[in-house]
Amino acid sequence: VDSVQEFRGVAAGFLSGAGGGGGGQFELVTRSGTNSFHGGVVEFHRDTDTEANDWFNNNAGVPRPPLIRNQFGGNFGGPILKNKLFFFFDYNGRRDTLSNLVERTVPLDSFRNGTLSYVNSSNKIETLTSGQVAGFDPQHVGFSSSLLSLFSSRYPHANDLSGAAGDLINTAGYRFNAPFPYKEDDYVQRVDFVLNDKMKFLGRGTFTRTKGTQHAIWFPGDPVTYPFVDQSYAWVASFIWNISNNKVNQAYYGEVFENYNFPNTYNPTGATQYGIFGGNGTGGAILSSPYGGAVNAQGRTYPIPLIRDDFSWEKGKHSFHFGGTFKWPKPSGYAIL
């Protein structure tokens, strides 16, 4: 925000260089350096001590999740060559220590031990021992030993018996605070060069480096599994020519480059997945999958080069504006499902 000198939003009556569109046009002018040095620093802090716990957390005995946010940065600008060459630089950083409440459907202890319960025709719960389960199996194997081992090694014990998840016969809910870390670094820089009293050049660049969390980890102790990575940038070079007292031409060339990635960084089962549990374990599914499902990684780049020119002519009581914008987006991407 501290890098913005001017903001303009137009919903109708676009200038000639803006072009039409389905919505409004918004323009931001970046601050520039001057003949004197100027700058500032900022720090904003938000702390867990000012937050209340979620009611469902309290009900399940889950402690208050952390919410610590620090936003900080600064800017500095001034002359490189007095009256000729100026610079401006702005940095903004953000660090979040944040957790969100997540619920999975996990096996009850009886189910983990190979005992299967069901509701009979009289609406009563009956239980089958592991031996009885094997008797119903045409192969007389019963529960898969690999599956029971997975129950013991991967699934936590249920802590939510409210019925919000699971059937409370073989499965129930497990609530926990999943970390949602967030890190962001933004850079804005601008250079202005005054060639003479009629001509001026400027260049501006912005860079974003963000690593957020797209989805929660699956169970406590897992590493960050679904990060969101943003490495986008934009730049522009401009030539401003004051042709006369009443004629000005501004030419621009630049590019906005969106670079998003949504990788999956934790999928230990590889190509083999247990897919018998009925979806992702929420919204009535039988049991949460042991891991977050398939790889489901994707990313995209969306470069938008741009050429723009604006010509303004003040003639008597009239103003004339001519110009145009030309863009040729070149999107690409990948998806692994």
Side-chain angles (χ1 to χ4, degrees):
V1 135
D2 290 333
S3 68
V4 178
Q5 178 173 306
E6 178 184 335
F7 173 86
R8 180 173 64 189
V10 181
F14 299 119
L15 296 178
S16 56
Q25 298 280 341
F26 299 94
E27 295 183 353
L28 287 81
V29 178
T30 304
R31 293 169 60 183
S32 61
T34 64
N35 273 327
S36 61
F37 291 102
H38 57 273
V41 293
V42 295
E43 163 69 23
F44 302 96
H45 178 76
R46 182 177 179 180
D47 200 88
T48 310
D49 292 337
T50 62
E51 299 295 321
N53 198 8
D54 185 277
W55 186 91
F56 294 101
N57 271 17
N58 282 329
N59 191 54
V62 179
R64 176 174 56 178
L67 197 168
I68 301 175
R69 176 174 297 149
N70 283 291
Q71 294 172 266
F72 53 90
N75 60 79
F76 186 63
I80 300 174
L81 295 174
K82 196 170 183 179
N83 297 323
K84 279 288 187 182
L85 187 59
F86 310 93
F87 77 95
F88 176 81
F89 176 80
D90 180 88
Y91 166 74
N92 177 74
R94 175 176 164 179
R95 304 290 186 271
D96 286 8
T97 301
L98 173 67
S99 292
N100 288 344
L101 179 63
V102 173
E103 179 154 23
R104 309 293 185 205
T105 305
V106 299
L108 289 169
D109 288 349
S110 56
F111 195 32
R112 297 162 70 102
N113 295 327
T115 299
L116 180 66
S117 299
Y118 66 97
V119 178
N120 65 17
S121 58
S122 301
N123 204 31
K124 294 182 179 180
I125 297 177
E126 294 193 11
T127 300
L128 299 174
T129 66
S130 57
Q132 290 173 313
V133 172
F136 284 106
D137 181 4
Q139 300 294 324
H140 301 291
V141 174
F143 267 101
S144 165
S145 59
S146 297
L147 185 60
L148 290 178
S149 176
L150 185 66
F151 283 173
S152 299
S153 62
R154 178 59 178 159
Y155 287 86
H157 293 269
N159 64 5
D160 180 14
L161 303 179
S162 67
D167 56 16
L168 301 185
I169 301 172
N170 295 295
T171 62
Y174 178 77
R175 290 181 179 270
F176 69 101
N177 291 318
F180 271 70
Y182 184 86
K183 177 183 178 182
E184 180 178 343
D185 295 290
D186 301 320
Y187 308 89
V188 180
Q189 45 271 317
R190 172 171 167 166
V191 175
D192 293 82
F193 177 64
V194 179
L195 183 63
N196 52 46
D197 59 353
K198 292 183 178 296
M199 298 181 182
K200 176 183 176 181
F201 295 90
L202 69 88
R204 178 195 57 81
T206 61
F207 301 88
T208 296
R209 294 294 180 266
T210 298
K211 189 170 183 179
T213 305
Q214 185 70 12
H215 298 292
I217 60 174
W218 209 243
F219 289 126
D222 289 353
V224 174
T225 306
Y226 301 100
F228 163 62
V229 181
D230 181 2
Q231 294 185 321
S232 302
Y233 63 86
W235 64 270
V236 65
S238 177
F239 172 57
I240 303 172
W241 180 21
N242 293 300
I243 303 170
S244 64
N245 292 334
N246 63 344
K247 299 183 184 72
V248 178
N249 191 82
Q250 301 181 62
Y252 307 87
Y253 177 71
E255 181 181 48
V256 175
F257 191 93
E258 178 188 274
N259 185 0
Y260 287 174
N261 274 286
F262 308 86
N264 182 316
T265 58
Y266 184 60
N267 185 42
T269 54
T272 301
Q273 301 282 342
Y274 281 91
I276 62 172
F277 304 116
N280 61 4
T282 59
I286 299 172
L287 189 67
S288 292
S289 298
Y291 297 95
V295 175
N296 195 25
Q298 57 180 296
R300 62 178 178 266
T301 59
Y302 205 104
I304 308 176
L306 175 144
I307 296 175
R308 172 176 169 178
D309 190 82
D310 292 315
F311 175 73
S312 300
W313 181 19
E314 303 292 331
K315 185 173 178 59
K317 297 181 179 181
H318 303 281
S319 297
F320 300 93
H321 299 278
F322 306 92
T325 301
F326 181 61
K327 303 177 183 178
W328 57 103
K330 299 179 293 184
S332 62
Y334 74 89
I336 304 174
L337 303 177

